[in-house]
Amino acid sequence: MIVRAGTQGMLGVVLTFCIVLSWGGPVWAVQPGSSEVEQIIEQRTGDIRDEAAATRALLQKDKKDLQAAHAELKSSVADLRAALEDKKDAFSALEKEEAALKNKLQSEREEVEEVQGSLVTAAKNLGQVLTKSPLGPLMPEQRTDLAEITQRQELPGMDEIRSVVESSFDLMKQSGNITRFSESFIDSGGTEQAGTLVRIGGLSALYQTDEDAGYLRAGPEGRELVAAGGELSWWSERNLRAYIAAEQETVPLDISNGAVFAQMSREQTWGEWVRAGGFLVWPLFAIAGLALILVAERLIFMIRIRSNSDRIMEQITELAEKNAWSQCREVCVQNRRSPLCRVIGKALEHVGESRQVVENALQEGVLSQLPRLERFLPTLNVLAAIAPLLGLLGTVTGMISTFQAITVFGTGEPKVMAGGISEALITTQIGLGVAVPIMFLHHLLDRRVDKIIGEIEEKGAAFSLLVLSRQDQEGKDKNAGLDQENPESVK
């Protein structure tokens, strides 16, 4: 409208200018001072004025139109601005509502995920219970449904929730019943057999055949009942048969689900036990073998001394009473391995000399026999001290292995930690088992040496008295013989 009003104004000015030109031409053609010309001029002037007035009126009208259009536009702009503000407010409100809905959706999603996690966990735990329970083979549909729920990735529906709840109630209901029935099972040899079974809730199950009776446990997949194995005592088997035959109301339960019988049937071999102790087991075995050899040598030596000493002493005493010193020396030479003969042999070398010389000879002979009698006893004492120290070293290395396993695998793997603990305990056990007998035998041998030394000293002292008494008697006999040959010299 503004363009249209401006165009009309310009059109009026152009028309006025053309009228002036059209009227101006004849004016210049008419002679000045003519009345006709003046009339024409006046007429043209009036026309021009009229046209100017019309133009002015047209301009005023256009101005009003423009002002009205301007006002209308301003009003429209204000309305649009107001509408824009309203839209902005609405947009802000929608943004807040969207944020609230997002928060609500996130909260509901977490709740749903929590419900899903709880349901899957419950299904998994329930499935594990059924797999390890004697009830598992009797509830195959429940085990299948629970396995599908644990593998499900989508959000659980009411059917899945209802299935878990119903399975739980079924398990609780069956756990309170004791059922006796005939069914097949897998015996300890892996053969399927038929027999009379008794299921005591979810705790245990028993079986009885014509040849055997025992406990049952769920198979590896929980699909069948398997004999727990192990050897039952006569009394335990009698109780099981009586309970299955309903002749008594009580029976021992296997709450370990066959784990105890499985452990009983699995006997650890000697090689497995040694390997579990680690490399320090072999030095301990070497110490035990060396100690055994030394103890055997000492025992044989001690037994030979005990068997010969009394007999040798009797022979030497009889010969000494007859002053047969040369024969005494022959007896000592023949039994030169005997400590007693070696000591007496020292004394026989000084027969005829003074008491002090004979006693010193005996003492020297006893001292010379001590290293021979005490041979290997210090070695046994050292071996008895080393054995528990090696066991303690094995304990330390085993505990270090245990802590290294904990560092790598954490505390959730008991089997990994069991290796280090076994090494620690077995080496300690072997170390003490080797040290205690060695110490005991060392004490016995040491006491035996003390006793032999005491006997040698006692018999040596007796022999020295015998030698000295015979010397005194020989002296008296010589003096008596001289008196008989020269009676005058006595007077």
Side-chain angles (χ1 to χ4, degrees):
M1 294 179 67
I2 295 173
V3 176
R4 185 172 58 84
T7 306
Q8 290 179 354
M10 291 298 297
L11 182 59
V13 173
V14 172
L15 290 174
T16 304
F17 182 73
C18 293
I19 294 171
V20 171
L21 291 179
S22 63
W23 287 95
V27 171
W28 290 104
V30 180
Q31 292 294 326
S34 171
S35 61
E36 187 178 357
V37 172
E38 292 176 355
Q39 289 178 355
I40 293 170
I41 294 171
E42 289 178 357
Q43 184 179 357
R44 292 289 181 88
T45 303
D47 294 337
I48 292 169
R49 288 176 179 172
D50 293 340
E51 289 177 359
T55 302
R56 191 177 299 111
L58 182 61
L59 290 175
Q60 289 296 329
K61 181 178 179 298
D62 292 340
K63 182 178 180 181
K64 290 180 181 179
D65 293 339
L66 289 174
Q67 289 177 347
H70 181 262
E72 184 179 357
L73 288 174
K74 288 180 66 177
S75 176
S76 178
V77 170
D79 294 340
L80 290 175
R81 287 180 177 175
L84 180 61
E85 293 297 330
D86 294 339
K87 296 295 183 183
K88 287 183 177 179
D89 295 339
F91 182 73
S92 299
L94 290 174
E95 285 184 339
K96 293 180 180 178
E97 185 177 0
E98 181 185 8
L101 290 174
K102 285 183 177 178
N103 293 333
K104 184 178 179 180
L105 179 61
Q106 182 66 25
S107 176
E108 291 180 351
R109 179 176 298 172
E110 292 177 355
E111 292 179 358
V112 171
E113 290 178 353
E114 186 176 356
V115 171
Q116 183 183 12
S118 300
L119 184 66
V120 171
T121 302
K124 186 179 295 182
N125 293 335
L126 190 59
Q128 291 177 353
V129 171
L130 287 177
T131 301
K132 298 179 181 179
S133 172
L135 295 172
L138 304 178
M139 303 172 66
E141 296 180 358
Q142 288 85 344
R143 287 191 294 105
T144 303
D145 295 340
L146 293 173
E148 291 177 354
I149 292 173
T150 55
Q151 300 297 329
R152 186 183 177 88
Q153 300 295 331
E154 296 83 8
L155 295 177
M158 289 304 300
D159 294 336
E160 286 78 11
I161 297 174
R162 188 178 296 106
S163 175
V164 174
V165 174
E166 290 178 352
S167 298
S168 300
F169 278 107
D170 291 341
L171 178 62
M172 287 188 287
K173 183 179 179 181
Q174 295 294 333
S175 298
N177 296 331
I178 298 177
T179 308
R180 182 179 289 102
F181 54 98
S182 297
E183 186 62 61
S184 61
F185 65 97
I186 307 299
D187 63 7
S188 57
T191 306
E192 185 175 356
Q193 286 195 7
T196 303
L197 309 184
V198 173
R199 181 175 51 77
I200 307 172
L203 294 177
S204 183
L206 314 175
Y207 74 92
Q208 178 184 359
T209 62
D210 295 337
E211 298 82 13
D212 195 8
Y215 291 92
L216 294 172
R217 60 179 176 84
E221 300 296 332
R223 297 175 181 175
E224 66 278 333
L225 291 174
V226 181
E231 293 292 336
L232 293 179
S233 63
W234 174 85
W235 182 257
S236 298
E237 186 173 346
R238 175 187 172 281
N239 286 333
L240 292 183
R241 290 184 178 278
Y243 183 80
I244 294 173
E247 296 175 355
Q248 69 179 29
E249 297 180 352
T250 59
V251 67
L253 293 178
D254 175 25
I255 59 175
S256 66
N257 194 26
V260 173
F261 296 100
Q263 185 64 27
M264 289 173 59
S265 60
R266 183 184 179 279
E267 296 181 358
Q268 191 177 27
T269 63
W270 171 259
E272 292 176 346
W273 183 75
V274 171
R275 285 192 294 272
F279 68 96
L280 288 175
V281 171
W282 302 109
L284 289 171
F285 284 157
I287 289 174
L290 179 60
L292 183 62
I293 294 173
L294 296 180
V295 169
E297 191 273 340
R298 287 290 88 190
L299 287 176
I300 294 173
F301 176 75
M302 301 294 177
I303 291 173
R304 292 180 62 184
I305 292 174
R306 181 182 178 84
S307 61
N308 295 333
S309 60
D310 294 337
R311 179 177 55 81
I312 293 171
M313 191 61 197
E314 290 177 358
Q315 293 179 358
I316 293 175
T317 302
E318 291 177 356
L319 295 173
E321 289 176 350
K322 299 176 182 177
N323 294 329
W325 305 115
S326 59
Q327 296 178 359
C328 289
R329 292 188 186 92
E330 292 177 358
V331 171
C332 290
V333 171
Q334 293 174 359
N335 300 278
R336 57 183 176 276
R337 292 184 178 180
S338 172
L340 178 62
C341 286
R342 295 193 177 192
V343 172
I344 292 176
K346 291 287 184 180
L348 288 174
E349 293 177 357
H350 301 279
V351 171
E353 298 181 4
S354 65
R355 174 189 294 269
Q356 187 65 34
V357 173
V358 173
E359 290 178 352
N360 290 338
L362 287 172
Q363 188 66 28
E364 181 186 358
V366 172
L367 293 175
S368 65
Q369 294 303 311
L370 281 177
R372 184 166 173 254
L373 293 173
E374 294 179 349
R375 187 172 59 182
F376 299 137
L377 293 184
T379 305
L380 288 175
N381 195 16
V382 171
L383 294 178
I386 290 175
L389 293 178
L390 283 176
L392 181 61
L393 179 60
T395 303
V396 173
T397 56
M399 295 308 298
I400 290 174
S401 300
T402 302
F403 285 115
Q404 287 177 346
I406 293 175
T407 302
V408 177
F409 300 101
T411 57
E413 293 291 340
K415 291 184 178 179
V416 178
M417 294 186 292
I421 296 174
S422 297
E423 180 181 351
L425 296 180
I426 289 175
T427 52
T428 304
Q429 181 185 14
I430 296 176
L432 294 176
V434 171
V436 171
I438 293 176
M439 294 178 67
F440 179 72
L441 294 173
H442 174 266
H443 175 72
L444 292 180
L445 294 173
D446 191 51
R447 293 294 302 166
R448 178 60 182 162
V449 169
D450 292 341
K451 187 176 180 180
I452 291 173
I453 294 297
E455 289 178 357
I456 291 175
E457 290 178 347
E458 178 187 355
K459 292 178 179 178
F463 181 75
S464 66
L465 290 176
L466 179 61
V467 170
L468 294 174
S469 65
R470 296 308 304 172
Q471 288 179 353
D472 292 340
Q473 186 63 37
E474 286 180 356
K476 291 178 181 180
D477 293 343
K478 287 182 178 179
N479 292 331
L482 291 176
D483 293 341
Q484 291 178 358
E485 292 177 355
N486 301 309
E488 295 180 355
S489 62
V490 176
K491 293 179 179 179

